[in-house]
Amino acid sequence: MTSASARVPATAPSPAVASERVPVLLVHGIDDDARTLAPLADALARAGFQDVRIIELKPNNGDAPISVLAEQVAGAAASLRALTGHVRIDVVGFSMGALVSRYYLQRLEGRNHVRRFVSISGPHAGTLTGWLRANPGARDMRPNSELLRGLATDEAPFGDVQVFSLWTPLDLMIIPARSSQLAGARERTFPVMLHPLMLRDGRVLRSVEEALTVERPEDFQALPVVLPPGGP
C-alpha cells in the first residue's frame, strides 16, 4: 500500500503566531480524498497554520483493513515530524479517518508522537452502515467488530494525548450517531444535517481550530445544540 500527502499553502501569519502552531496531519474518510478535507485545510491555513498535510489513503474504499491504513498514517506522521523538526504533531481525522487515526494512536505508538487528536464524526463504537459493504475496512467499522472490541479494552488508550470529539446527532452515515462519542474526549455536537457537511460547517471548522490552539483542553467547552424543527 502506498500513501501520499499534500501540503496546504498557508497565509503569512506573524512570526509569533507561526511559532505557536503545531504541524497538523489530516486524515480523510471512506471514498474520500484530499479534496474532501480542503475546506478544513484552507480554514487552518487562514488561521496561521503553516504546516498542514493531508494524507491520501490507498485504497480509500474500505478494501484494506483499518490496521493497514493506520500504517500509512504512521508513515505520514513520521515524515511530517521529520520535515518540520517537531517532536509531536496534531492529527485530525474525519469519519473512517478518525478510526484509522485512533488505531495509529493506540496500536502503532502514535500516542508518543501526537499532541492533540481531533475526531470528526468517527465510528468509534461502529456504524450499521458497515454492513453495506463486505470488504475488510467496512467489517472493521461494524458495531462490536473484533477491531473495535480490542481498541475498547485499552486502559489508557491515548496516553497524554489531548483528545476532542466533534459530531452531529443527525448523522445518517454513522448509525447510531452517538457512536462518534469517544471516552475521555472533550466533546461538542452540532446540528449538521448531513455527514459530509461536517467538513464545511463554519462552527465545526472554528471548533477544530479552537481544539488545536486552546491553551488548556478543559477550556474547550461543550456548546448548546439547537436542533431544527422536527429533529430528534
PDB file of all heavy atoms in Angstrom, residues 125-147:
ATOM      1  N   ALA A 125     -17.694   3.491  18.004  1.00  0.00           N
ATOM      2  CA  ALA A 125     -18.436   2.332  18.505  1.00  0.00           C
ATOM      3  C   ALA A 125     -19.081   1.571  17.356  1.00  0.00           C
ATOM      4  O   ALA A 125     -19.966   0.742  17.569  1.00  0.00           O
ATOM      5  CB  ALA A 125     -19.487   2.770  19.525  1.00  0.00           C
ATOM      6  N   GLY A 126     -18.651   1.850  16.156  1.00  0.00           N
ATOM      7  CA  GLY A 126     -19.171   1.167  14.977  1.00  0.00           C
ATOM      8  C   GLY A 126     -20.361   1.876  14.360  1.00  0.00           C
ATOM      9  O   GLY A 126     -20.981   2.740  14.971  1.00  0.00           O
ATOM     10  N   THR A 127     -20.654   1.498  13.139  1.00  0.00           N
ATOM     11  CA  THR A 127     -21.803   2.055  12.432  1.00  0.00           C
ATOM     12  C   THR A 127     -22.510   0.951  11.660  1.00  0.00           C
ATOM     13  O   THR A 127     -21.864   0.070  11.059  1.00  0.00           O
ATOM     14  CB  THR A 127     -21.382   3.175  11.466  1.00  0.00           C
ATOM     15  OG1 THR A 127     -22.527   3.573  10.689  1.00  0.00           O
ATOM     16  CG2 THR A 127     -20.273   2.737  10.526  1.00  0.00           C
ATOM     17  N   LEU A 128     -23.827   0.998  11.666  1.00  0.00           N
ATOM     18  CA  LEU A 128     -24.604  -0.011  10.954  1.00  0.00           C
ATOM     19  C   LEU A 128     -24.365   0.035   9.452  1.00  0.00           C
ATOM     20  O   LEU A 128     -24.573  -0.964   8.749  1.00  0.00           O
ATOM     21  CB  LEU A 128     -26.093   0.176  11.251  1.00  0.00           C
ATOM     22  CG  LEU A 128     -26.516  -0.062  12.712  1.00  0.00           C
ATOM     23  CD1 LEU A 128     -28.003   0.195  12.886  1.00  0.00           C
ATOM     24  CD2 LEU A 128     -26.153  -1.477  13.165  1.00  0.00           C
ATOM     25  N   THR A 129     -23.902   1.174   8.938  1.00  0.00           N
ATOM     26  CA  THR A 129     -23.610   1.258   7.510  1.00  0.00           C
ATOM     27  C   THR A 129     -22.410   0.394   7.126  1.00  0.00           C
ATOM     28  O   THR A 129     -22.172   0.161   5.939  1.00  0.00           O
ATOM     29  CB  THR A 129     -23.367   2.713   7.082  1.00  0.00           C
ATOM     30  OG1 THR A 129     -22.294   3.266   7.868  1.00  0.00           O
ATOM     31  CG2 THR A 129     -24.623   3.554   7.275  1.00  0.00           C
ATOM     32  N   GLY A 130     -21.662  -0.071   8.115  1.00  0.00           N
ATOM     33  CA  GLY A 130     -20.582  -1.009   7.823  1.00  0.00           C
ATOM     34  C   GLY A 130     -21.084  -2.314   7.226  1.00  0.00           C
ATOM     35  O   GLY A 130     -20.310  -3.048   6.589  1.00  0.00           O
ATOM     36  N   TRP A 131     -22.365  -2.608   7.402  1.00  0.00           N
ATOM     37  CA  TRP A 131     -22.947  -3.828   6.834  1.00  0.00           C
ATOM     38  C   TRP A 131     -23.289  -3.671   5.352  1.00  0.00           C
ATOM     39  O   TRP A 131     -23.683  -4.652   4.699  1.00  0.00           O
ATOM     40  CB  TRP A 131     -24.192  -4.231   7.620  1.00  0.00           C
ATOM     41  CG  TRP A 131     -23.872  -4.728   8.989  1.00  0.00           C
ATOM     42  CD1 TRP A 131     -23.910  -4.018  10.158  1.00  0.00           C
ATOM     43  CD2 TRP A 131     -23.432  -6.053   9.335  1.00  0.00           C
ATOM     44  NE1 TRP A 131     -23.522  -4.813  11.213  1.00  0.00           N
ATOM     45  CE2 TRP A 131     -23.226  -6.069  10.738  1.00  0.00           C
ATOM     46  CE3 TRP A 131     -23.200  -7.218   8.607  1.00  0.00           C
ATOM     47  CZ2 TRP A 131     -22.803  -7.206  11.422  1.00  0.00           C
ATOM     48  CZ3 TRP A 131     -22.770  -8.356   9.279  1.00  0.00           C
ATOM     49  CH2 TRP A 131     -22.571  -8.346  10.666  1.00  0.00           C
ATOM     50  N   LEU A 132     -23.147  -2.468   4.816  1.00  0.00           N
ATOM     51  CA  LEU A 132     -23.471  -2.256   3.413  1.00  0.00           C
ATOM     52  C   LEU A 132     -22.349  -2.705   2.484  1.00  0.00           C
ATOM     53  O   LEU A 132     -22.535  -2.762   1.268  1.00  0.00           O
ATOM     54  CB  LEU A 132     -23.779  -0.777   3.165  1.00  0.00           C
ATOM     55  CG  LEU A 132     -24.990  -0.213   3.934  1.00  0.00           C
ATOM     56  CD1 LEU A 132     -25.153   1.268   3.633  1.00  0.00           C
ATOM     57  CD2 LEU A 132     -26.251  -0.995   3.591  1.00  0.00           C
ATOM     58  N   ARG A 133     -21.181  -3.003   3.044  1.00  0.00           N
ATOM     59  CA  ARG A 133     -20.058  -3.497   2.247  1.00  0.00           C
ATOM     60  C   ARG A 133     -19.492  -4.731   2.929  1.00  0.00           C
ATOM     61  O   ARG A 133     -19.616  -4.901   4.144  1.00  0.00           O
ATOM     62  CB  ARG A 133     -18.958  -2.436   2.119  1.00  0.00           C
ATOM     63  CG  ARG A 133     -19.430  -1.099   1.594  1.00  0.00           C
ATOM     64  CD  ARG A 133     -18.267  -0.164   1.329  1.00  0.00           C
ATOM     65  NE  ARG A 133     -18.750   1.190   1.088  1.00  0.00           N
ATOM     66  CZ  ARG A 133     -18.038   2.132   0.480  1.00  0.00           C
ATOM     67  NH1 ARG A 133     -16.810   1.881   0.059  1.00  0.00           N
ATOM     68  NH2 ARG A 133     -18.544   3.347   0.298  1.00  0.00           N
ATOM     69  N   ALA A 134     -18.835  -5.558   2.134  1.00  0.00           N
ATOM     70  CA  ALA A 134     -18.283  -6.802   2.678  1.00  0.00           C
ATOM     71  C   ALA A 134     -16.764  -6.773   2.757  1.00  0.00           C
ATOM     72  O   ALA A 134     -16.147  -7.794   3.047  1.00  0.00           O
ATOM     73  CB  ALA A 134     -18.733  -7.983   1.824  1.00  0.00           C
ATOM     74  N   ASN A 135     -16.143  -5.622   2.487  1.00  0.00           N
ATOM     75  CA  ASN A 135     -14.686  -5.583   2.476  1.00  0.00           C
ATOM     76  C   ASN A 135     -14.116  -5.394   3.892  1.00  0.00           C
ATOM     77  O   ASN A 135     -14.843  -5.097   4.836  1.00  0.00           O
ATOM     78  CB  ASN A 135     -14.167  -4.518   1.500  1.00  0.00           C
ATOM     79  CG  ASN A 135     -14.734  -3.134   1.767  1.00  0.00           C
ATOM     80  OD1 ASN A 135     -15.230  -2.855   2.849  1.00  0.00           O
ATOM     81  ND2 ASN A 135     -14.647  -2.261   0.773  1.00  0.00           N
ATOM     82  N   PRO A 136     -12.813  -5.571   4.067  1.00  0.00           N
ATOM     83  CA  PRO A 136     -12.218  -5.582   5.408  1.00  0.00           C
ATOM     84  C   PRO A 136     -12.426  -4.287   6.195  1.00  0.00           C
ATOM     85  O   PRO A 136     -12.702  -4.334   7.399  1.00  0.00           O
ATOM     86  CB  PRO A 136     -10.729  -5.827   5.134  1.00  0.00           C
ATOM     87  CG  PRO A 136     -10.692  -6.519   3.816  1.00  0.00           C
ATOM     88  CD  PRO A 136     -11.818  -5.940   3.026  1.00  0.00           C
ATOM     89  N   GLY A 137     -12.265  -3.143   5.533  1.00  0.00           N
ATOM     90  CA  GLY A 137     -12.428  -1.880   6.242  1.00  0.00           C
ATOM     91  C   GLY A 137     -13.831  -1.696   6.774  1.00  0.00           C
ATOM     92  O   GLY A 137     -14.032  -1.237   7.904  1.00  0.00           O
ATOM     93  N   ALA A 138     -14.821  -2.065   5.971  1.00  0.00           N
ATOM     94  CA  ALA A 138     -16.213  -1.965   6.412  1.00  0.00           C
ATOM     95  C   ALA A 138     -16.489  -2.924   7.561  1.00  0.00           C
ATOM     96  O   ALA A 138     -17.184  -2.570   8.526  1.00  0.00           O
ATOM     97  CB  ALA A 138     -17.150  -2.245   5.240  1.00  0.00           C
ATOM     98  N   ARG A 139     -15.950  -4.129   7.494  1.00  0.00           N
ATOM     99  CA  ARG A 139     -16.152  -5.078   8.589  1.00  0.00           C
ATOM    100  C   ARG A 139     -15.563  -4.548   9.886  1.00  0.00           C
ATOM    101  O   ARG A 139     -16.135  -4.732  10.966  1.00  0.00           O
ATOM    102  CB  ARG A 139     -15.539  -6.433   8.231  1.00  0.00           C
ATOM    103  CG  ARG A 139     -16.304  -7.178   7.149  1.00  0.00           C
ATOM    104  CD  ARG A 139     -15.915  -8.646   7.134  1.00  0.00           C
ATOM    105  NE  ARG A 139     -14.520  -8.835   6.764  1.00  0.00           N
ATOM    106  CZ  ARG A 139     -14.095  -9.019   5.507  1.00  0.00           C
ATOM    107  NH1 ARG A 139     -14.965  -9.002   4.499  1.00  0.00           N
ATOM    108  NH2 ARG A 139     -12.816  -9.215   5.263  1.00  0.00           N
ATOM    109  N   ASP A 140     -14.419  -3.875   9.798  1.00  0.00           N
ATOM    110  CA  ASP A 140     -13.804  -3.295  10.997  1.00  0.00           C
ATOM    111  C   ASP A 140     -14.693  -2.229  11.631  1.00  0.00           C
ATOM    112  O   ASP A 140     -14.614  -1.987  12.848  1.00  0.00           O
ATOM    113  CB  ASP A 140     -12.454  -2.661  10.653  1.00  0.00           C
ATOM    114  CG  ASP A 140     -11.351  -3.686  10.482  1.00  0.00           C
ATOM    115  OD1 ASP A 140     -11.503  -4.826  10.961  1.00  0.00           O
ATOM    116  OD2 ASP A 140     -10.328  -3.344   9.857  1.00  0.00           O
ATOM    117  N   MET A 141     -15.529  -1.575  10.817  1.00  0.00           N
ATOM    118  CA  MET A 141     -16.353  -0.477  11.318  1.00  0.00           C
ATOM    119  C   MET A 141     -17.742  -0.919  11.763  1.00  0.00           C
ATOM    120  O   MET A 141     -18.554  -0.086  12.178  1.00  0.00           O
ATOM    121  CB  MET A 141     -16.466   0.622  10.254  1.00  0.00           C
ATOM    122  CG  MET A 141     -15.153   1.351  10.006  1.00  0.00           C
ATOM    123  SD  MET A 141     -15.332   2.799   8.919  1.00  0.00           S
ATOM    124  CE  MET A 141     -15.562   1.980   7.324  1.00  0.00           C
ATOM    125  N   ARG A 142     -18.023  -2.207  11.693  1.00  0.00           N
ATOM    126  CA  ARG A 142     -19.316  -2.684  12.157  1.00  0.00           C
ATOM    127  C   ARG A 142     -19.351  -2.696  13.688  1.00  0.00           C
ATOM    128  O   ARG A 142     -18.329  -2.958  14.331  1.00  0.00           O
ATOM    129  CB  ARG A 142     -19.585  -4.089  11.631  1.00  0.00           C
ATOM    130  CG  ARG A 142     -19.749  -4.152  10.129  1.00  0.00           C
ATOM    131  CD  ARG A 142     -19.796  -5.584   9.638  1.00  0.00           C
ATOM    132  NE  ARG A 142     -19.879  -5.642   8.183  1.00  0.00           N
ATOM    133  CZ  ARG A 142     -19.782  -6.768   7.487  1.00  0.00           C
ATOM    134  NH1 ARG A 142     -19.590  -7.931   8.117  1.00  0.00           N
ATOM    135  NH2 ARG A 142     -19.866  -6.728   6.167  1.00  0.00           N
ATOM    136  N   PRO A 143     -20.502  -2.419  14.293  1.00  0.00           N
ATOM    137  CA  PRO A 143     -20.598  -2.476  15.754  1.00  0.00           C
ATOM    138  C   PRO A 143     -20.137  -3.835  16.283  1.00  0.00           C
ATOM    139  O   PRO A 143     -20.428  -4.884  15.706  1.00  0.00           O
ATOM    140  CB  PRO A 143     -22.093  -2.254  16.017  1.00  0.00           C
ATOM    141  CG  PRO A 143     -22.561  -1.472  14.829  1.00  0.00           C
ATOM    142  CD  PRO A 143     -21.768  -2.012  13.661  1.00  0.00           C
ATOM    143  N   ASN A 144     -19.363  -3.782  17.368  1.00  0.00           N
ATOM    144  CA  ASN A 144     -18.878  -4.989  18.039  1.00  0.00           C
ATOM    145  C   ASN A 144     -17.900  -5.793  17.196  1.00  0.00           C
ATOM    146  O   ASN A 144     -17.703  -6.995  17.425  1.00  0.00           O
ATOM    147  CB  ASN A 144     -20.050  -5.894  18.449  1.00  0.00           C
ATOM    148  CG  ASN A 144     -19.682  -6.816  19.600  1.00  0.00           C
ATOM    149  OD1 ASN A 144     -18.979  -6.428  20.520  1.00  0.00           O
ATOM    150  ND2 ASN A 144     -20.156  -8.054  19.559  1.00  0.00           N
ATOM    151  N   SER A 145     -17.240  -5.144  16.235  1.00  0.00           N
ATOM    152  CA  SER A 145     -16.224  -5.848  15.450  1.00  0.00           C
ATOM    153  C   SER A 145     -15.044  -6.213  16.342  1.00  0.00           C
ATOM    154  O   SER A 145     -14.838  -5.649  17.420  1.00  0.00           O
ATOM    155  CB  SER A 145     -15.736  -4.967  14.295  1.00  0.00           C
ATOM    156  OG  SER A 145     -14.959  -3.873  14.787  1.00  0.00           O
ATOM    157  N   GLU A 146     -14.263  -7.167  15.892  1.00  0.00           N
ATOM    158  CA  GLU A 146     -13.087  -7.581  16.663  1.00  0.00           C
ATOM    159  C   GLU A 146     -12.154  -6.398  16.889  1.00  0.00           C
ATOM    160  O   GLU A 146     -11.599  -6.224  17.981  1.00  0.00           O
ATOM    161  CB  GLU A 146     -12.360  -8.707  15.936  1.00  0.00           C
ATOM    162  CG  GLU A 146     -11.134  -9.224  16.680  1.00  0.00           C
ATOM    163  CD  GLU A 146     -10.442 -10.360  15.942  1.00  0.00           C
ATOM    164  OE1 GLU A 146     -10.966 -10.794  14.893  1.00  0.00           O
ATOM    165  OE2 GLU A 146      -9.378 -10.804  16.414  1.00  0.00           O
ATOM    166  N   LEU A 147     -11.964  -5.580  15.871  1.00  0.00           N
ATOM    167  CA  LEU A 147     -11.079  -4.427  16.000  1.00  0.00           C
ATOM    168  C   LEU A 147     -11.595  -3.458  17.061  1.00  0.00           C
ATOM    169  O   LEU A 147     -10.830  -3.001  17.932  1.00  0.00           O
ATOM    170  CB  LEU A 147     -10.940  -3.717  14.656  1.00  0.00           C
ATOM    171  CG  LEU A 147     -10.060  -2.463  14.659  1.00  0.00           C
ATOM    172  CD1 LEU A 147      -9.143  -2.438  13.451  1.00  0.00           C
ATOM    173  CD2 LEU A 147     -10.910  -1.195  14.675  1.00  0.00           C
TER     174      LEU A 147
END
